[in-house]
């Protein structure tokens, strides 16, 4: 579903990603862990072309992200074409980014109506099902300010799912939540994993990675230091840098 080949990303003189190679299979839950500043979130944003890669190749479901290859040359897609690619990739951020002037139901229906041209009746019907799925059907008429952080994040997940994506990206979705609200968001993510959604999750929740993840990558300073099955990496890391990091977070 996702293939990264020697992906580099620089911001001016700052070299953030230094040749990332990895693959994510369909239906896989792929966890990215590592210290702040290691490049995890930047890599996630490159997958849906919120950030343009500086070198290498990045593809989703067999298609280059943000580019088209013609012969030996690669051409950047127009913004309209990039936006069409993004429809298949849902993303949930650290901050919930809900529209404050819209109810939970309106937040979930907006993109299918405005971007995909669905009828409002169809969008509302799906939004109600999705809010039920994340345990918030009774909050459909509430505005974000009336919801807890965990509830807002669950609405954000429902909003991403409303576009019926083939891939879901989670950028530390619980890091802005009070500890007692983390579980309700992770429960929704567990349900998505059980339903076979392909997911790439940047997380500090090692318990979730161990329990739900199929693969785990430890990144540091823009490179993949170690990868493998989550239980193997977390219980018996091979690299000294991985051992040092895990000793501080486990």
């Amino acid at each position: 579903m996702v293939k990264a080949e020697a992906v580099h990303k620089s911001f001016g003189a700052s070299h953030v990603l230094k040749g990332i190679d990895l693959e994510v299979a369909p239906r896989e839950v792929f966890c990215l862990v590592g210290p702040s500043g290691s490049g995890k979130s930047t890599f996630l944003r490159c997958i849906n072309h919120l950030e343009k890669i500086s070198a290498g190749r990045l593809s989703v479901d067999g298609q280059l992200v943000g580019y088209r290859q013609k012969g030996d040359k690669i051409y950047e897609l127009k913004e309209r074409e990039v936006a069409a690619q993004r429809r298949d990739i849902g993303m949930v951020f650290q901050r919930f980014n809900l529209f404050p002037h819209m109810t939970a139901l309106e937040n979930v229906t907006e993109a299918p109506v405005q971007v995909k041209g669905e009828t409002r009746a169809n969008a509302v019907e799906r939004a109600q099902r999705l809010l039920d799925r994340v345990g918030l059907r009774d909050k459909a008429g509430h505005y974000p300010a009336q919801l807890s952080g965990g509830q807002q994040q669950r609405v954000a997940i429902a909003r991403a799912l409303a576009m019926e994506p083939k891939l879901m990206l989670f950028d530390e979705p619980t890091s802005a939540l009070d500890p007692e609200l983390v579980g309700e968001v992770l429960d929704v993510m567990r349900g998505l994993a059980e339903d076979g959604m392909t997911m790439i999750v940047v997380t500090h929740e090692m318990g979730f990675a161990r329990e739900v993840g199929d693969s785990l990558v430890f990144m540091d300073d823009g490179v993949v230091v170690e990868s493998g099955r989550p239980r193997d990496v977390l219980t018996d890391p091979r690299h000294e840098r991985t051992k040092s990091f895990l000793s501080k977070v486990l």
Side-chain angles (χ1 to χ4, degrees), residues 111-235:
V113 172
Q114 298 298 331
V115 178
K116 295 178 74 174
E118 288 190 15
T119 65
R120 190 161 295 277
N122 284 346
V124 166
E125 182 181 350
R126 184 186 304 114
Q128 289 172 334
R129 290 200 308 270
L130 289 170
L131 288 172
D132 189 36
R133 182 177 183 178
V134 300
L136 291 174
R137 191 181 186 98
D138 61 330
K139 304 293 185 183
H142 287 55
Y143 290 91
Q146 298 171 303
L147 302 173
S148 71
Q151 290 170 336
Q152 289 184 61
Q153 192 64 296
R154 285 187 280 157
V155 173
I157 293 172
R159 181 178 62 179
L161 292 172
M163 293 293 284
E164 300 182 306
K166 62 180 71 170
L167 169 68
M168 284 285 285
L169 309 176
F170 292 88
D171 187 7
E172 299 188 26
T174 60
S175 65
L177 300 179
D178 291 333
E180 66 268 22
L181 302 178
V182 168
E184 62 191 48
V185 174
L186 294 181
D187 284 343
V188 171
M189 294 170 65
R190 285 188 188 93
L192 292 179
E194 291 169 0
D195 291 344
M197 173 63 73
T198 308
M199 300 160 60
I200 302 179
V201 185
V202 172
T203 185
H204 292 297
E205 300 292 337
M206 300 302 165
F208 173 85
R210 181 187 291 110
E211 176 192 345
V212 182
D214 298 301
S215 300
L216 183 142
V217 158
F218 171 66
M219 285 180 62
D220 187 34
D221 195 27
V223 300
V224 172
V225 176
E226 189 164 344
S227 63
R229 294 170 54 194
R231 288 182 183 273
D232 295 340
V233 176
L234 294 175
T235 58

Side-chain angles (χ1 to χ4, degrees), residues 45-110:
R45 292 171 66 85
C46 288
I47 293 174
N48 62 3
H49 209 59
L50 288 176
E51 299 289 354
K52 299 177 184 178
I53 63 175
S54 304
R57 296 167 65 91
L58 188 54
S59 58
V60 172
D61 201 19
Q63 286 192 322
L64 286 175
V65 174
Y67 299 90
R68 177 190 297 111
Q69 183 161 353
K70 192 171 183 181
D72 294 333
K73 294 187 177 181
I74 292 178
Y75 301 89
E76 189 168 359
L77 297 178
K78 296 176 181 176
E79 183 55 37
R80 173 174 47 84
E81 296 170 302
V82 173
Q85 285 187 331
R86 286 198 190 111
R87 295 178 191 176
D88 292 329
I89 306 172
M91 188 158 185
V92 179
F93 299 87
Q94 295 178 36
R95 296 292 173 179
F96 324 120
N97 295 335
L98 298 177
F99 297 117
H101 61 290
M102 293 183 179
T103 64
L105 185 70
E106 290 166 342
N107 265 283
V108 179
T109 58
E110 183 70 5

